[in-house]
Amino acid sequence: IKHIKNKLFIECVGGCAYRTLSRVLEKLGIADKPESTYQEYLDKMASEAANAGMKIVIISPPPFFMMENGKFNNSTLEPYAKASKQLAERKGYYFIDLFNLLSNKFKNMTEAEIRTHYMFLKPGDSPNWPKGAADILHFQNKGSELIWQLMLDSIRKDIPDLAKLFK
């Protein structure tokens, strides 16, 4: 990190990857809590980048695709989103609340509409996934474009220093 001073550096450390690691830690009897351990590791990475002179933007992890009673309802990664926000507030970093931006966007959509954003593919829909896909975390192009637009809107509204880098 120290060799890329004054560069824009975006790193996604999603709660989903860390959540998988936390299950391993739990099996080993090592305590793990989003508000402590996840935040601690995120802080280590962000602090190293900040010490190298970079501006830090913490982006909360996006929500998993989950429906409850016909409505989008995902609380699985909410503790990680909250931990991300707490760290940003405590350290004075910029913050983009992707978890809530997406959750709020999806809450008034039908399940079929939301599925068009996540990686739900029928066999033959994509040469990359000939057998299809049912992925509750990753996004298709439509979802990625929505994420970028929500992030760009948030940057333009809340992070003027960064907004000037985008047309």
Side-chain angles (χ1 to χ4, degrees), residues 5-129:
K5 276 188 176 182
N6 301 318
K7 302 283 187 206
L8 175 63
F9 183 74
I10 299 174
E11 173 66 40
C12 178
V13 181
C16 59
Y18 192 78
R19 196 169 133 259
T20 301
L21 175 60
S22 70
R23 288 180 181 156
V24 173
L25 295 174
E26 186 178 303
K27 295 262 189 230
L28 294 172
I30 301 169
D32 177 54
K33 300 214 179 301
E35 63 278 3
S36 59
T37 312
Y38 170 74
Q39 195 176 89
E40 179 183 325
Y41 290 122
L42 187 58
D43 185 20
K44 284 181 183 178
M45 288 183 287
S47 292
E48 191 142 336
N51 291 338
M54 294 181 207
K55 299 283 186 198
I56 306 301
V57 180
I58 302 290
I59 303 169
S60 66
F64 285 146
F65 172 85
M66 292 187 158
M67 301 296 290
E68 186 176 296
N69 298 322
K71 295 284 184 192
F72 185 80
N73 183 14
N74 180 287
S75 59
T76 304
L77 293 180
E78 191 170 20
Y80 298 92
K82 287 180 180 178
S84 299
K85 183 176 184 178
Q86 290 169 352
L87 173 65
E89 288 173 346
R90 183 168 49 85
K91 292 290 205 154
Y93 297 147
Y94 296 119
F95 180 68
I96 297 175
D97 192 354
L98 185 58
F99 180 87
N100 283 306
L101 288 170
L102 273 174
S103 294
N104 290 335
K105 195 74 168 173
F106 290 150
K107 74 179 178 184
N108 295 316
M109 290 185 185
T110 66
E111 181 174 350
E113 289 172 315
I114 299 167
R115 280 179 174 270
T116 65
H117 292 82
Y118 286 88
M119 192 61 73
F120 288 97
L121 302 169
K122 293 181 219 140
D125 279 356
S126 169
N128 295 326
W129 293 273

Side-chain angles (χ1 to χ4, degrees), residues 94-97 101 104 149-164 166:
Y94 296 119
F95 180 68
I96 297 175
D97 192 354
L101 288 170
N104 290 335
Q149 192 57 58
L150 291 170
M151 288 179 49
L152 187 57
D153 291 347
S154 182
I155 289 168
R156 287 181 173 146
K157 179 180 169 228
D158 301 322
I159 312 174
D161 290 348
L162 190 55
K164 62 187 174 190
F166 302 98

